């Protein structure tokens, strides 16, 4: 087995903390770093190995911390650097590594670099950002930002437009400038030397803008009847991207035993292989979004809803499983701070099936090859919210989309709200539900975003006390990855690719052979046994219903049921 096969993060599980919504220690309604420290035993009990911490850097909070004004300072509402050091020490004592968020496609417009850059074309920081002359007195082209509206904002002092693929308060950095790259590498060294073990890199595949190399600035295709038309495809994975990433590896990452994951919107399997190849790549894994786009209408943006077709999900996940096997590494996730709650999205969040479908979804994902990511509250089966009006929502993307869709594009408000209920980012950002108490035990004050009303029966205190809870199912899955090498190294094979309700696959390393069966429906599904490996002599590994029920119905899966069997025959 090669040294790359033995990397410690391959059998690890990562837990994402969104600090604003995790735990508030001082009653101001905002989660903070001391609050995180107070809950580290929850993570230790769950069994996770790594925490990915969303940004805690100094920020004016236009995009909840993803607009950074000082990369070496802690945001006051989260605490102090001393609080950070205490949190990091607490994680280290519990054997948990810390992975920070690295947001270097853009800064805040309140960062000192941009304050100087916008003051004059002659300022030495001007070339830290991306500027274009007006065309016929207006924006250089038709690009829209991810957060709606033009991706260009006019700067009076210099008479130019600056590029921002997100908010106007998030100007994109110019990675063509070697001084920018040196600044980024220096700040990475700063955090590594404090004891951080790695970075999740925000929209990292946008740092090389193609037109800065080839000199043309094309319009984006116009989307008909869509909510908006962000220009991500026009700026992702540019000609110098891998050059920049290999330079980062050489200058920084090769000096540390780190874990890295790059958020890579619109990435292809081949691009992910290039990024994560153990010899020639630069990062350990990527976050791709192909499977997260399957319940949206093609080409119309995430808000244009459609029903998930399970064969599409199977084909997508399987393409990545097979495409990176032996040539890269997958991240495995259903949830994060930008995605709605998976039990409400691909499962059934009704009282009858919430827990069972949450366990099924966890089983399906965690038994694949890759490093699993658990987003805070996922281990409890937390659900989406459906607030009645836009006034309840805080997220900049959601609020901007609603304004543009209803006021500028004539969309029916009720239709737009249905999309927000299904896909809005605040679904993931409602505060963590710790107890049955007021505000779910998140805060003694008024929370910055409302707590989901169902905290009275979905909370960590109740979950830890119930041995059959979603929490304990996640704990078992996390432990299995450390116990069975086939889950880390075994090849993956999809079965029943066209079945509309059953997701079935094999894991096989030549020594052990595992069959995973998942029912993505609310009805009983008969197993097509002639199309599956024989279950004769098979032994149960894990499921979301008691093993004796498997024996009573060996050829049928109940609604939202999941089973994993060790197969007696280890031949391929």
């Amino acid at each position: 087995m090669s040294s790359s096969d033995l990397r410690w993060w391959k059998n690890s599980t990562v837990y994402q903390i969104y600090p604003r919504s995790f735990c508030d220690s001082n009653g101001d309604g905002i989660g903070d770093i001391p609050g995180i420290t107070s809950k580290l035993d929850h993570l230790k009990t769950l069994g996770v190995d790594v925490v990915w911490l969303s940004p805690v850097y100094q920020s004016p909070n236009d995009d909840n911390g993803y607009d950074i004004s000082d990369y070496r300072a802690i945001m006051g509402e989260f605490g102090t650097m001393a609080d950070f050091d205490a949190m990091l020490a607490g994680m280290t004592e519990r054997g948990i590594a810390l992975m920070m968020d690295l947001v270097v496609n853009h800064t805040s417009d309140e960062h000192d670099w941009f304050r100087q850059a916008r003051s004059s074309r002659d300022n030495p920081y001007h070339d830290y950002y991306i500027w274009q002359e007006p065309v016929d007195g207006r924006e250089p082209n038709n690009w829209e930002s991810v957060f709606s509206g033009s991706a260009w904002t006019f700067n009076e002092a210099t008479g130019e437009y600056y590029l921002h693929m997100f908010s106007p308060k998030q100007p994109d950095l110019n990675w063509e400038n070697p001084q920018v790259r040196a600044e980024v590498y220096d700040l990475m060294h700063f955090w590594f030397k404090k004891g951080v073990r790695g970075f999740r890199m925000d929209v990292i595949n946008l740092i090389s803008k193609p037109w800065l190399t080839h000199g043309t600035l094309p319009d984006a295709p116009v989307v008909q009847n869509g909510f908006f038309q962000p220009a991500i495809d026009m700026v992702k994975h540019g000609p110098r991207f891998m050059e920049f990433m290999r330079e980062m590896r050489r200058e920084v990452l090769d000096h540390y035993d780190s874990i890295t994951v790059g958020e890579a919107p619109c990435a292809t399997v081949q691009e992910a292989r290039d990024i994560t190849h153990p010899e020639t790549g630069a990062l350990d894994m990527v976050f791709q979004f192909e499977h997260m786009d399957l319940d949206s209408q093609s080409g119309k943006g995430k808000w244009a809803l459609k029903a998930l077709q399970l064969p599409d999900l199977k084909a997508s996940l399987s393409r990545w499983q097979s495409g990176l096997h032996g040539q890269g590494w997958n991240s495995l996730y259903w949830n994060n701070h930008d995605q709605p709650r998976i039990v409400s999205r691909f499962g059934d969040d009704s009282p009858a099936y919430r827990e069972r479908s949450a366990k099924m979804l966890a089983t399906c994902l965690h038994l694949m090859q890759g490093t699993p990511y658990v987003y805070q509250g996922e281990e409890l089966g937390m659900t989406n919210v459906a607030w009645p009006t836009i006034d309840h929502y805080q997220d900049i993307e959601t609020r901007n989309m609603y304004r543009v869709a209803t006021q500028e594009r004539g969309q029916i408000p009720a239709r737009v709200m249905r999309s927000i209920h299904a896909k809005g980012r605040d679904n993931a950002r409602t505060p963590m539900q710790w107890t049955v108490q007021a505000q779910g035990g998140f805060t003694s004050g008024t929370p910055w975003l409302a707590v989901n009303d169902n905290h009275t029966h979905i909370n960590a205190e109740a979950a830890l006390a119930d041995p059959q809870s979603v929490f304990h199912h996640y704990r078992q899955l996390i432990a299995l990855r450390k116990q069975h090498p086939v889950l880390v190294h075994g090849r993956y094979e999809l079965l029943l690719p066209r079945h509309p309700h059953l997701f079935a696959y094999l894991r096989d390393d030549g020594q052990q052979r595992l069959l995973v069966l998942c029912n993505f429906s609310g009805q009983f599904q008969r197993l097509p046994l002639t199309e599956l490996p024989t279950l004769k002599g098979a032994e149960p590994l894990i499921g979301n219903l008691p093993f004796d029920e498997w024996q009573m119905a060996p050829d049928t899966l109940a609604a939202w049921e999941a089973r994993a069997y060790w197969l007696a025959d280890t031949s391929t």
Side-chain angles (χ1 to χ4, degrees):
M1 188 174 291
S2 71
S3 60
S4 66
D5 290 330
L6 300 174
R7 294 300 303 274
W8 59 273
W9 37 263
K10 288 194 170 183
N11 66 354
S12 297
T13 299
V14 182
Y15 187 95
Q16 183 190 357
I17 290 177
Y18 192 71
R20 178 170 290 270
S21 298
F22 193 63
C23 182
D24 170 26
S25 70
N26 61 8
D28 67 356
I30 297 170
D32 49 42
I33 291 172
I36 295 170
T37 304
S38 74
K39 297 296 186 181
L40 292 179
D41 285 340
H42 175 85
L43 308 183
K44 179 67 175 177
T45 300
L46 185 59
V48 299
D49 309 278
V50 182
V51 163
W52 157 25
L53 184 65
S54 286
V56 293
Y57 314 100
Q58 186 61 46
S59 168
N61 260 335
D62 187 59
D63 184 24
N64 279 6
Y66 283 87
D67 49 315
I68 298 168
S69 55
D70 188 339
Y71 289 99
R72 292 175 176 82
I74 299 297
M75 193 186 310
E77 63 189 22
F78 289 152
T80 65
M81 189 64 79
D83 293 329
F84 177 89
D85 291 340
M87 176 193 69
L88 180 56
M91 291 179 182
T92 302
E93 289 169 7
R94 292 165 176 81
I96 298 172
L98 177 60
M99 180 167 65
M100 297 281 280
D101 228 311
L102 185 71
V103 187
V104 289
N105 173 71
H106 48 265
T107 69
S108 167
D109 67 341
E110 298 184 30
H111 195 292
D112 186 59
W113 298 344
F114 191 72
R115 289 184 188 273
Q116 296 202 50
R118 74 188 311 171
S119 66
S120 164
R121 295 194 185 200
D122 297 327
N123 189 287
Y125 285 95
H126 188 261
D127 196 41
Y128 273 41
Y129 296 88
I130 299 170
W131 306 89
Q132 288 288 314
E133 300 286 349
V135 174
D136 297 327
R138 54 174 301 125
E139 294 87 354
N141 64 11
N142 72 345
W143 291 0
E144 292 193 15
S145 78
V146 173
F147 292 166
S148 303
S150 175
W152 301 96
T153 290
F154 189 67
N155 183 57
E156 292 281 354
T158 62
E160 300 164 290
Y161 284 89
Y162 67 86
L163 178 70
H164 53 87
M165 294 310 302
F166 297 90
S167 163
K169 289 184 68 63
Q170 293 169 293
D172 279 38
L173 284 164
N174 176 20
W175 273 69
E176 300 290 325
N177 184 343
Q179 291 175 286
V180 169
R181 304 199 300 274
E183 296 267 20
V184 170
Y185 305 153
D186 190 55
L187 71 89
M188 293 173 72
H189 281 298
F190 172 84
W191 290 102
F192 272 130
K193 289 174 181 176
K194 285 187 73 69
V196 168
R197 293 293 299 279
F199 291 101
R200 175 265 187 187
M201 302 182 185
D202 188 64
V203 292
I204 196 65
N205 67 334
L206 307 190
I207 61 174
S208 173
K209 310 299 197 262
W211 94 89
L212 293 179
T213 300
H214 57 59
T216 60
L217 189 59
D219 278 347
V222 176
V223 177
Q224 299 294 335
N225 301 317
F227 280 101
F228 61 100
Q229 53 178 53
I232 290 293
D233 274 327
M234 312 298 291
V235 297
K236 67 104 172 172
H237 209 93
R240 299 190 68 191
F241 173 67
M242 287 307 301
E243 174 191 342
F244 295 157
M245 296 312 297
R246 291 183 181 116
E247 181 183 74
M248 179 191 288
R249 176 176 173 174
R250 182 174 67 252
E251 295 295 323
V252 183
L253 300 176
D254 282 347
H255 299 273
Y256 306 94
D257 181 17
S258 63
I259 175 174
T260 54
V261 55
E263 183 188 32
C266 305
T268 66
V269 172
Q270 181 59 57
E271 289 169 348
R273 278 199 294 262
D274 292 342
I275 296 168
T276 67
H277 193 280
E279 278 77 46
T280 59
L283 304 180
D284 298 326
M285 62 198 100
V286 300
F287 285 143
Q288 54 84 20
F289 300 96
E290 185 179 293
H291 64 304
M292 294 285 96
D293 294 334
L294 296 175
D295 54 355
S296 298
Q297 297 175 40
S298 179
K300 295 186 177 181
K302 80 174 193 179
W303 304 102
L305 305 180
K306 75 169 187 177
L308 174 71
Q309 301 299 312
L310 184 62
D312 294 341
L313 180 65
K314 292 189 285 188
S316 175
L317 292 175
S318 300
R319 180 163 48 251
W320 286 84
Q321 286 285 294
S322 301
L324 295 188
H325 180 71
Q327 301 183 73
W329 195 250
N330 274 294
S331 62
L332 305 174
Y333 76 94
W334 289 130
N335 295 273
N336 61 38
H337 64 289
D338 287 333
Q339 300 294 339
R341 294 287 180 178
I342 197 62
V343 71
S344 299
R345 186 178 191 178
F346 293 168
D348 182 341
D349 61 9
S350 70
Y353 289 125
R354 180 188 61 85
E355 289 191 288
R356 191 189 299 180
S357 65
K359 293 178 185 179
M360 182 279 290
L361 288 161
T363 304
C364 184
L365 192 76
H366 280 244
L367 299 184
M368 292 183 184
Q369 185 176 44
T371 297
Y373 287 72
V374 179
Y375 178 70
Q376 63 184 49
E378 180 183 345
E379 77 278 19
L380 308 179
M382 282 178 59
T383 69
N384 283 356
V385 288
W387 294 320
T389 69
I390 192 62
D391 295 335
H392 292 77
Y393 290 83
Q394 299 284 343
D395 173 41
I396 182 175
E397 179 191 37
T398 299
R399 294 179 68 90
N400 284 356
M401 184 280 291
Y402 182 87
R403 174 182 52 79
V404 171
T406 58
Q407 297 179 18
E408 299 179 18
R409 303 201 173 167
Q411 300 280 0
I412 299 170
R415 178 191 173 204
V416 179
M417 289 306 300
R418 282 196 296 273
S419 293
I420 290 170
H421 293 159
K423 294 290 188 71
R425 299 194 301 178
D426 280 342
N427 283 309
R429 300 175 183 187
T430 59
M432 183 73 171
Q433 297 166 203
W434 293 107
T435 69
V436 71
Q437 297 170 335
Q439 312 302 353
F442 164 72
T443 182
S444 60
T446 301
W448 74 277
L449 186 67
V451 177
N452 195 318
D453 290 341
N454 63 20
H455 73 270
T456 55
H457 60 279
I458 303 174
N459 60 73
E461 185 176 54
L464 265 70
D466 177 6
Q468 302 304 315
S469 69
V470 176
F471 177 91
H472 287 294
H473 191 79
Y474 269 86
R475 187 176 57 78
Q476 293 174 58
L477 288 166
I478 291 167
L480 288 175
R481 183 166 295 274
K482 295 179 173 60
Q483 297 165 10
H484 300 291
V486 65
L487 296 178
V488 179
H489 305 293
R491 68 180 180 87
Y492 165 100
E493 179 186 347
L494 178 66
L495 307 173
L496 311 178
R498 300 309 307 164
H499 197 290
H501 304 298
L502 295 178
F503 198 147
Y505 62 88
L506 290 169
R507 298 295 309 280
D508 188 346
D509 65 356
Q511 302 297 317
Q512 293 180 305
R513 200 164 183 237
L514 182 69
L515 173 64
V516 181
L517 301 170
C518 297
N519 181 3
F520 274 70
S521 80
Q523 293 80 41
F524 281 91
Q525 297 294 328
R526 187 169 298 277
L527 297 173
L529 295 178
T530 59
E531 301 175 53
L532 296 171
T534 179
L535 296 179
K536 184 177 181 180
E539 298 181 4
L541 172 64
I542 190 171
N544 59 358
L545 291 176
F547 290 161
D548 57 3
E549 295 190 25
W550 302 21
Q551 295 172 326
M552 290 188 292
D555 62 347
T556 304
L557 290 189
W560 303 108
E561 184 179 1
R563 299 178 186 177
Y565 291 96
W566 293 121
L567 298 182
D569 178 12
T570 61
S571 63
T572 57

